[in-house]
């Protein structure tokens, strides 16, 4: 019967013709291949969802004058003021649009970013390898490298705490004005 939903809980007792209809309620477009099968039926079709509409941010952080977010692709993106290299893109050029931050040197295959936090002019993030990475200004030792010298304009791995057990990983990081803290 036309326009009557079939009750799939009932047994089939005779010849049945089913017609599938899709209603689009948004602006996304699915494709079907082949576009139309023969009237006799029995044709396998493939439904393909619309192409992804770009990167979506799953986590964001705001510094005093720069921003960063982890994209749905697992990459880190940053934008804003960059005098101390706090964007992590290898430059000190300000960015008015998100720029993809390269993976840290020595990062394993399949590496993704898990958490990001921003301070005044420094940044930190935890990778899927369980390591903590920092970059930007280091005037107060906020990068955790044991010095108060040289800013970094790319993510650099922070050493594990003295006496850390085997298998130690970082799980959370939070940055303030000119200080940093992380939980392992």
């Amino acid at each position: 019967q036309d326009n009557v939903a079939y009750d799939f809980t009932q047994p089939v007792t005779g010849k049945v013709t089913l017609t599938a209809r899709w209603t689009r309620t948004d602006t996304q477009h699915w494709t079907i291949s082949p576009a139309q099968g023969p009237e006799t039926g029995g044709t396998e079709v493939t439904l393909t969802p619309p192409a992804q509409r770009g990167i979506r941010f799953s986590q964001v952080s705001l510094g005093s004058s720069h921003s960063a977010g982890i994209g749905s692709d697992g990459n880190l993106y940053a934008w804003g003021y960059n005098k101390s290299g706090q964007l992590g893109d290898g430059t000190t050029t300000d960015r008015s649009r998100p720029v993809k931050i390269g993976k840290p040197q020595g990062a394993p295959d399949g590496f993704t970013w898990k958490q990001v936090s921003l301070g005044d002019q420094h940044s930190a993030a935890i990778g899927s390898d369980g390591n903590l990475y920092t970059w930007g200004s280091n005037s107060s030792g906020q990068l955790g490298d044991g010095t108060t010298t040289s800013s970094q304009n790319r993510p650099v791995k922070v050493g594990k705490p003295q006496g850390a057990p085997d298998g130690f990983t970082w799980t959370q990081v939070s940055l303030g004005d000119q200080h940093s803290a992380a939980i392992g």
Side-chain angles (χ1 to χ4, degrees):
Q1 295 174 344
D2 290 342
N3 297 320
V4 175
Y6 180 76
D7 183 357
F8 286 93
T9 64
Q10 299 300 313
V12 176
T13 58
K15 184 177 177 181
V16 175
T17 299
L18 298 176
T19 302
R21 290 187 174 91
W22 289 267
T23 303
R24 187 177 67 225
T25 58
D26 58 23
T27 60
Q28 296 183 12
H29 303 284
W30 287 72
T31 58
I32 184 170
S33 177
Q36 182 174 349
E39 285 188 24
T40 57
T43 302
E44 260 188 46
V45 296
T46 302
L47 288 172
T48 305
Q52 194 174 32
R53 296 184 303 178
I55 303 297
R56 297 175 189 264
F57 291 109
S58 61
Q59 194 231 330
V60 295
S61 183
L62 305 177
S64 66
S65 55
H66 67 298
S67 306
I70 297 174
S72 53
D73 60 355
N75 288 308
L76 180 62
Y77 296 85
W79 60 98
Y81 185 66
N82 196 27
K83 178 182 178 186
S84 299
Q86 62 264 42
L87 297 185
D89 66 348
T91 75
T92 55
T93 303
D94 297 345
R95 306 288 183 175
S96 60
R97 294 179 183 255
V99 61
K100 183 177 162 182
I101 307 308
K103 295 183 178 169
Q105 186 174 6
D109 289 342
F111 177 93
T112 58
W113 294 102
K114 296 299 181 186
Q115 194 230 329
V116 62
S117 183
L118 305 182
D120 179 28
Q121 291 185 37
H122 67 297
S123 307
I126 296 174
S128 57
D129 59 358
N131 287 311
L132 173 63
Y133 298 88
T134 60
W135 59 97
S137 175
N138 196 33
S139 60
S140 299
Q142 60 267 49
L143 298 186
D145 66 0
T147 73
T148 57
T149 59
S150 72
S151 296
Q152 297 289 335
N153 61 14
R154 292 198 186 276
V156 176
K157 186 166 75 170
V158 174
K160 307 220 188 273
Q162 187 174 17
D166 290 342
F168 176 91
T169 59
W170 298 99
T171 58
Q172 188 176 356
V173 61
S174 183
L175 305 186
D177 183 26
Q178 292 185 22
H179 59 288
S180 308
I183 297 172

